[in-house]
Amino acid sequence: MQNTDTTKYIIHSKINADGIIERPDIVGAIFGQTEGLLGSDLDLRDLQKTGRIGRIEVSVAAKGGKTKGNIFIPSSLDRVETSILAASLETIDRVGPCTAKIEVTQVEDVRATKRRQIIDRAKYILTDMFDENLPESQEIADEVRQSVRIEEMQYYGKNKIPCGPNVLDSDAIVVVEGRADVLNLLRYGIKNTICVGGTNVPPEVAELTKKKTVTAFTDGDRGGKLIIKELLQVADIDYIARAPDGKSVEDLVQREIVRSLRQKIPVEQALESYSIKGEAKPVKEEKPAKTGRITRLPKRKERVMGEGSRPSAGVQKMGKTADRSEEEPKQVKPARQVKPTKTEPAKPSRPARLSPQARRFKPHSDALLGTLGARLLDSKDKVIEETAVRDLVNTLKETTDSIKTVVFDGVVTQRILDIASDKGIENLIGVKKGNIAKSPATVNVLTASDF
């Protein structure tokens, strides 16, 4: 009916004639009666030759000696020219031998019609033709990652313990609870993981921890705490990291995993919360070893030299009288109930044990108390660097500065003591001493309680 590439509008009109007329009569009347009416610029013949007016379509029907029909004229003119052309049709009052009347009923905007068709069709396509089960792009990516993670997962030892592909080659490993934890860490590119499968730690994992730098990464619940206690007894771990309270490692996102691993603490700092505190009550009844000695230390500083005291914490009063009979200088204590109390604040025995140089570290020790921080001092007691206790081991290993003193708010362990000896550090000041098998003669070890 019209050239769809150029047609902008379609003029709809209806014709009523008093007599029988046919299509050629109507088309001839349109061209003949509008010729010269609108000037040469809007002459229908010229417009049709140039393609600005399309083929005129006419549909008529005769009934009872009268003819009715519709006329459609496609136009690529602009809105104004199309309106003028449409109005000119209504000037036709005769077709052939019959009187006739033409009335314009509508000027259709073809582009608007196409837009409505596009909208309606798009609605149908969107609601009815799309596969509802088609996954989104994120779901596709997650599915691909999941398949890659499963392919990357390997198994260690005869018990086929789930682990990451880099466990054997990496110098450091992360020990987690279960297979789902390993998968979640693999998802974010952490491939040096291995799981223990519960509180019963496999012997293969315990043996592997002796050869690697180990970080225990457990859930933020009571079960995770029990697994750490088990690892402290049967394995050799260096750091402890926990998921946020109430969350599991398998449910963490990348940001939470990175934050938890960055907040790991050395195992020496965790001993108090995972073992010492838990055994404090029973020690008072029977065991005077490790923890019992620590709990009595503040009350019996003056008798550190006599470690052979055998009485338990429950029989301390009798032990004191027995020790008094063996050690003559301790007879100052009975005078405690009379006026010689003024002699005790001076406590001349303490300055005799501490060198005058050691007293200069007391301000640093007091400033760090409760901060879990550490200070590295030079030979003039000036602070070279400050760091967190959890990073102290790595800092001491990597530093190239001439450090003479380390003051930190933590436990003096055998590991830190050995590193201090290797680095030529002369003074090591901590909160208290851990289990030290050998103490180098070149390192002077002091604790906060000695001040």
Side-chain angles (χ1 to χ4, degrees):
M1 185 172 69
Q2 73 269 5
N3 187 347
T4 56
D5 293 336
T6 59
T7 299
K8 297 179 181 178
Y9 306 100
I10 298 176
I11 302 172
H12 295 255
S13 58
K14 61 182 181 180
I15 182 171
N16 294 313
D18 295 333
I20 304 300
I21 57 176
E22 295 179 351
R23 177 186 178 279
D25 300 327
I26 298 173
V27 173
I30 292 173
F31 280 107
Q33 295 185 38
T34 58
E35 186 176 3
L37 181 64
L38 303 176
S40 59
D41 291 340
L42 292 177
D43 185 72
L44 286 178
R45 294 184 190 277
D46 293 338
L47 292 174
Q48 198 169 46
K49 286 179 182 179
T50 57
R52 302 184 71 186
I53 290 294
R55 186 171 180 269
I56 300 175
E57 296 288 343
V58 178
S59 62
V60 292
K63 186 177 180 181
K66 294 187 178 182
T67 304
K68 294 182 178 181
N70 296 303
I71 304 171
F72 305 97
I73 303 177
S75 169
S76 61
L77 302 172
D78 59 23
R79 295 166 63 95
V80 176
E81 292 173 334
T82 301
S83 300
I84 295 172
L85 183 61
S88 69
L89 295 177
E90 295 186 347
T91 63
I92 299 172
D93 55 0
R94 195 170 190 85
V95 177
C98 308
T99 59
K101 182 181 180 181
I102 297 177
E103 181 183 356
V104 176
T105 58
Q106 179 188 1
V107 177
E108 178 186 354
D109 189 338
V110 176
R111 293 169 298 181
T113 304
K114 288 181 178 179
R115 292 190 193 103
R116 285 194 296 269
Q117 291 177 350
I118 291 172
I119 292 171
D120 294 339
R121 186 60 178 169
K123 289 179 181 178
Y124 174 77
I125 292 173
L126 179 63
T127 56
D128 297 339
M129 299 184 70
F130 272 105
D131 185 1
E132 294 181 358
N133 297 324
L134 186 66
E136 298 291 339
S137 59
Q138 185 61 40
E139 295 175 359
I140 294 174
D142 291 343
E143 186 174 346
V144 173
R145 288 194 194 100
Q146 177 70 16
S147 63
V148 171
R149 292 201 306 268
I150 294 175
E151 290 177 1
E152 285 184 345
M153 179 176 287
Q154 297 181 3
Y155 298 92
Y156 178 77
K158 62 180 182 180
N159 292 328
K160 294 186 176 181
I161 303 167
C163 64
N166 295 348
V167 164
L168 295 179
D169 299 333
S170 178
D171 295 332
I173 61 173
V174 179
V175 177
V176 294
E177 294 185 28
R179 181 176 184 271
D181 300 339
V182 176
L183 280 174
N184 194 37
L185 294 180
L186 279 175
R187 176 182 181 183
Y188 298 112
I190 301 175
K191 300 181 180 181
N192 57 336
T193 57
I194 189 169
C195 70
V196 295
T199 55
N200 188 15
V201 179
E204 295 97 324
V205 177
E207 186 64 27
L208 182 65
T209 59
K210 298 177 182 178
K211 309 172 186 176
K212 310 278 187 180
T213 301
V214 182
T215 299
F217 189 18
T218 60
D219 297 343
D221 54 11
R222 186 172 179 274
K225 191 171 184 179
L226 293 176
I227 290 176
I228 290 179
K229 285 188 176 182
E230 174 77 10
L231 288 170
L232 288 172
Q233 295 178 11
V234 303
D236 184 7
I237 60 177
D238 301 282
Y239 300 96
I240 293 175
R242 299 291 305 277
D245 290 344
K247 288 191 175 183
S248 301
V249 175
E250 62 185 283
D251 299 327
L252 300 182
V253 297
Q254 184 176 14
R255 180 183 59 186
E256 294 173 319
I257 292 174
V258 172
R259 183 189 304 140
S260 298
L261 290 176
R262 283 179 177 173
Q263 292 176 350
K264 65 184 179 181
I265 60 174
V267 68
E268 293 85 359
Q269 306 303 319
L271 287 176
E272 185 174 358
S273 58
Y274 287 102
S275 66
I276 295 178
K277 286 185 177 179
E279 297 175 5
K281 291 184 179 178
V283 164
K284 286 186 179 179
E285 297 180 3
E286 294 182 0
K287 299 182 182 178
K290 301 178 182 177
T291 55
R293 188 165 53 216
I294 291 174
T295 54
R296 293 198 301 273
L297 185 59
K299 296 182 181 179
R300 306 181 65 177
K301 295 175 191 172
E302 299 172 356
R303 292 158 56 191
V304 171
M305 301 299 292
E307 290 184 353
S309 58
R310 295 176 183 171
S312 64
V315 202
Q316 285 185 0
K317 292 184 179 178
M318 295 178 64
K320 287 180 181 179
T321 55
D323 290 340
R324 288 191 198 114
S325 64
E326 294 176 3
E327 301 177 8
E328 294 177 0
K330 305 295 180 176
Q331 291 178 0
V332 182
K333 287 194 175 181
R336 212 179 267 173
Q337 299 174 355
V338 201
K339 290 186 179 180
T341 44
K342 293 183 179 179
T343 58
E344 278 203 20
K347 290 189 181 178
S349 58
R350 287 190 184 177
R353 270 203 319 274
L354 291 176
S355 64
Q357 294 181 349
R359 294 180 179 277
R360 68 179 187 262
F361 305 129
K362 189 176 188 305
H364 295 289
S365 179
D366 293 342
L368 293 173
L369 189 62
T371 63
L372 293 179
R375 290 181 179 178
L376 312 183
L377 311 179
D378 59 12
S379 58
K380 298 181 180 180
D381 297 340
K382 293 183 179 180
V383 178
I384 299 176
E385 183 179 353
E386 290 194 13
T387 184
V389 171
R390 64 172 179 268
D391 301 325
L392 180 58
V393 171
N394 293 332
T395 303
L396 291 177
K397 287 181 178 180
E398 297 170 1
T399 186
T400 56
D401 298 325
S402 178
I403 300 172
K404 295 301 180 182
T405 303
V406 177
V407 185
F408 65 104
D409 183 32
V411 180
V412 180
T413 63
Q414 185 68 59
R415 186 181 185 190
I416 296 177
L417 194 57
D418 293 340
I419 296 174
S421 178
D422 294 339
K423 291 289 183 177
I425 297 172
E426 299 175 356
N427 302 295
L428 195 60
I429 296 92
V431 176
K432 56 188 174 184
K433 293 183 182 179
N435 296 327
I436 298 176
K438 56 179 181 178
S439 181
T442 57
V443 182
N444 181 28
V445 180
L446 299 175
T447 63
S449 58
D450 294 330
F451 292 103

